[in-house]
Amino acid sequence: MSAASAVLPHRRPLAHRAATVLSVLLGLACLWFGFDFTVLPETAAAGFGIPSWPDGQAAGYFGVKAARDFANGAVILTLLALGRRRSLAWVMLLLAIVPFGDALAVLGHGGSYAAALGIHAATGVVVVLTAALLFVTSRDVTRSASQTR
């Protein structure tokens, strides 16, 4: 038991709950974006932050975005459902690349700073925060599992 958890034992369950809620919300958001880009790609694209979107053959990128979002949401929710919180923490940390990359794409293609920072970079920060909470709340489980071997 760490000194922090001994002094503030009530914080660990709260952090665990927050990590779970954020993970579920992020997973569901990814699934929603995948669904939205599949069913109404032009409408969904307008909210992404890039002012001029591809049409014709190039609109096939909407399907790519939808597939990416479906996969990300499925991975998040599957790892959470399986109780693999430590693995989910690593996955979340890696998935933070996506919203930060999206922010750069918005800025690089004529989008606004408000969309890049307010939508995508802010989401990246939430994903990193969720990863941190998952690491903190899964540490004791990892230690106790390795000590019983």
Side-chain angles (χ1 to χ4, degrees):
M1 178 181 275
S2 71
S5 63
V7 174
L8 302 168
H10 64 283
R11 291 229 175 164
R12 182 92 38 191
L14 181 60
H16 186 276
R17 190 173 307 120
T20 301
V21 169
L22 286 170
S23 295
V24 168
L25 290 175
L26 287 168
L28 291 175
C30 287
L31 293 178
W32 170 253
F33 295 139
F35 175 78
D36 207 22
F37 267 90
T38 300
V39 177
L40 298 167
E42 294 82 12
T43 305
F48 190 82
I50 296 177
S52 176
W53 278 89
D55 55 12
Q57 293 285 353
Y61 285 105
F62 294 145
V64 172
K65 167 125 174 53
R68 176 189 83 176
D69 290 339
F70 278 131
N72 291 346
V75 167
I76 291 168
L77 295 175
T78 299
L79 287 172
L80 189 62
L82 293 173
R84 305 295 304 192
R85 297 176 72 83
R86 190 78 169 171
S87 298
L88 179 56
W90 283 109
V91 167
M92 284 287 200
L93 196 57
L94 294 171
L95 286 178
I97 294 168
V98 173
F100 288 124
D102 289 347
L104 292 174
V106 168
L107 290 175
H109 291 89
S112 70
Y113 280 93
L117 301 177
I119 298 169
H120 302 291
T123 300
V125 169
V126 171
V127 174
V128 170
L129 172 66
T130 303
L133 287 170
L134 286 162
F135 278 122
V136 167
T137 59
S138 66
R139 187 172 299 149
D140 291 343
V141 173
T142 304
R143 276 194 209 136
S144 64
S146 64
Q147 290 172 351
T148 58
R149 291 183 192 160

